[in-house]
Amino acid sequence: MGLTAGIVGLPNVGKSTLFNAITKKNILAANYPFATIDPNVGVVTVPDKRLEVLENMYLPERLIATSYEFTDIAGLVKGASTGEGLGNKFLSHIREVDAICQVVRCFDDPNIIHVEGSVDPIRDIEIINLELIISDLEIINNRIDKVEKKARTTKDKETLEEIEVLKKAKDGLEKNIPLRLLNWTKEEKNILKPYSFLTLKPMIYLANISENELDQPDNEYVKEVKELANKEGTIAIKLCAKVESELSELNDEDKQEMLEALGMKESGLDQLIKATYDLLGLATYFTVGPDEVRAWTFKKGMNAKQCAGIIHSDFEKGFIKAEVMSYEDLVTCGNELKVKEAGKARLEGKDYLMQDGDICHFRFNV
């Protein structure tokens, strides 16, 4: 299960520059609104130092990291959901993403146009969040109008429950409260899930600063964004899209040197990936061998049988057992044989809850 994220933001906030850096793709980044008209999709590998260690141990023919897919959405302006700018065309492209990354401009530069005429990150966030709210409201109103009368007549229990949940969602949205900030039961979430509501998706704020502020304390703009993120129970990451673009052109050694020179422990992209994994409750397990060493992303709480299905549906259908050892035990013991001799290798059933860093071999029969 690859991780997918949609990148949104007003025009000229650094969104396309960041996307260029992330994917090393030369898409159009111009100093005017609507330079990016169609969504651009790029896939990056998720950095994981454990893979390097496993590669040195097994010397496989193939090394495959898990992936992170970014969709860059055309810049939108106030009124996009009702047809301004590019209209709501962009909205359809982020219905299926796991999370939304909102790039917010947090620097002053008279040479870069701001579509709203001034730099104000909270206002910009409110503009985008309002467009997402209006889009979700339109779907809810259409659904209620379509089925409510029939549901009252037929007394269909499931549809009546759906209507009640949608009305709760509508009430929150009409108060400008994104659905992710409302309290939902597990049953209510299951009812909402098929709609892929935009405001129900986790939101991460990316505070884009200037290059000369990287080694400085947070400016007032960044403080405002972080304060808002804290109130919403989410994450705000400070980064410089321009620097990320420069880092993307370097090899690992030169990249590390540049990070150290800038006083940074890791790039903004690495911070973003870690933050998204944490926010979405994701983790990684590994499969190893001379042919291939590979990382797989799974959601915390998934059992061994479900995780086997991530590799192939046949693995899940015919699941028998999972041979499991932890990455830490493998590194400590030195090899698989010594892990077994130490009694650290385990044979787990279908209900075993997978842990981050598990190394697995699935037994199955179809």
Side-chain angles (χ1 to χ4, degrees):
M1 50 181 294
L3 180 63
T4 62
I7 303 181
V8 300
L10 290 174
N12 305 329
V13 296
K15 181 169 55 65
S16 293
T17 302
L18 180 62
F19 181 80
N20 288 345
I22 286 169
T23 62
K24 298 181 183 176
K25 287 187 176 181
N26 186 27
I27 65 166
L28 178 62
N31 183 24
Y32 56 89
F34 319 130
T36 42
I37 294 185
D38 294 314
N40 294 271
V41 178
V43 179
V44 296
T45 56
V46 175
D48 193 325
K49 294 188 182 300
R50 295 174 296 184
L51 269 179
E52 299 172 21
V53 175
L54 293 172
E55 181 182 25
N56 290 332
M57 292 180 75
Y58 287 89
L59 303 176
E61 293 181 14
R62 296 181 303 277
L63 181 72
I64 304 176
T66 188
S67 63
Y68 195 146
E69 182 179 287
F70 288 93
T71 301
D72 177 43
I73 310 301
L76 60 148
V77 293
K78 187 186 296 182
S81 58
T82 55
E84 292 296 321
L86 296 175
N88 60 8
K89 177 183 176 184
F90 82 100
L91 296 171
S92 63
H93 300 302
I94 53 175
R95 290 257 169 229
E96 302 308 317
V97 300
D98 299 307
I100 297 176
C101 301
Q102 185 173 164
V103 182
V104 189
R105 180 169 160 181
C106 291
F107 64 92
D108 292 305
D109 187 336
N111 297 315
I112 300 178
I113 301 164
H114 192 293
V115 72
E116 290 294 318
S118 63
V119 177
D120 185 340
I122 301 304
R123 177 206 57 208
D124 294 354
I125 288 170
E126 288 174 351
I127 288 173
I128 288 198
N129 285 348
L130 181 59
E131 297 309 315
L132 303 184
I133 284 172
I134 292 171
S135 179
D136 283 351
L137 264 176
E138 183 180 0
I139 291 174
I140 289 172
N141 287 331
N142 288 341
R143 178 62 179 169
I144 290 175
D145 290 345
K146 184 177 180 181
V147 302
E148 184 174 24
K149 187 175 180 181
K150 184 180 178 181
R152 300 295 179 200
T153 303
T154 61
K155 306 295 183 186
D156 180 71
K157 184 182 177 183
E158 285 189 7
T159 309
L160 287 171
E161 288 175 352
E162 178 189 358
I163 294 296
E164 290 307 308
V165 172
L166 290 178
K167 284 189 172 180
K168 176 181 173 180
K170 179 180 178 179
D171 183 59
L173 292 173
E174 287 178 342
K175 294 174 182 173
N176 284 342
I177 304 173
L179 298 181
R180 64 180 178 276
L181 300 183
L182 297 175
N183 292 320
W184 301 103
T185 66
K186 185 178 179 180
E187 292 73 20
E188 288 173 331
K189 285 182 179 178
N190 288 334
I191 290 172
L192 293 173
K193 188 175 180 180
Y195 290 100
S196 297
F197 287 124
L198 297 172
T199 64
L200 195 59
K201 298 180 185 298
M203 176 78 76
I204 295 176
Y205 297 109
L206 303 179
N208 185 23
I209 60 171
S210 62
E211 188 173 358
N212 59 12
E213 291 182 296
L214 269 176
D215 59 350
Q216 300 296 315
D218 293 345
N219 65 35
E220 291 305 312
Y221 297 140
V222 174
K223 288 178 182 177
E224 290 177 359
V225 175
K226 286 187 174 181
E227 185 179 345
L228 176 66
N230 188 50
K231 284 181 182 176
E232 294 186 357
T234 187
I235 300 160
I237 296 170
K238 181 173 73 171
L239 52 74
C240 174
K242 185 173 180 289
V243 167
E244 294 298 318
S245 182
E246 294 170 3
L247 286 169
S248 70
E249 301 298 324
L250 304 176
N251 59 38
D252 289 345
E253 187 176 334
D254 291 341
K255 176 182 173 182
Q256 192 57 42
E257 280 187 19
M258 182 173 175
L259 286 172
E260 290 174 4
L262 292 167
M264 298 168 62
K265 292 182 179 179
E266 56 186 350
S267 70
L269 171 59
D270 289 352
Q271 293 178 56
L272 172 59
I273 291 173
K274 288 180 180 177
T276 311
Y277 266 63
D278 183 56
L279 195 63
L280 296 177
L282 302 177
T284 304
Y285 76 84
F286 303 94
T287 51
V288 297
D291 294 333
E292 179 183 278
V293 166
R294 183 164 183 168
W296 303 86
T297 300
F298 70 97
K299 197 166 185 66
K300 292 175 183 176
M302 290 179 70
N303 61 37
K305 185 177 180 182
Q306 291 169 324
C307 285
I310 293 172
I311 299 176
H312 197 286
S313 57
D314 284 350
F315 281 34
E316 184 171 7
K317 289 176 186 174
F319 181 90
I320 300 172
K321 292 284 183 182
E323 297 175 19
V324 183
M325 59 182 166
S326 74
Y327 169 82
E328 288 77 11
D329 287 339
L330 177 62
V331 171
T332 300
C333 295
N335 59 48
E336 287 188 31
L337 180 60
K338 290 181 179 178
V339 172
K340 292 175 181 176
E341 289 175 348
K344 300 285 188 179
R346 313 185 306 276
L347 205 57
E348 301 286 2
K350 63 181 181 179
D351 295 325
Y352 167 71
L353 295 182
M354 292 284 280
Q355 302 297 310
D356 183 64
D358 277 349
I359 297 172
C360 304
H361 173 71
F362 296 106
R363 297 182 186 177
F364 71 103
N365 183 30
V366 177

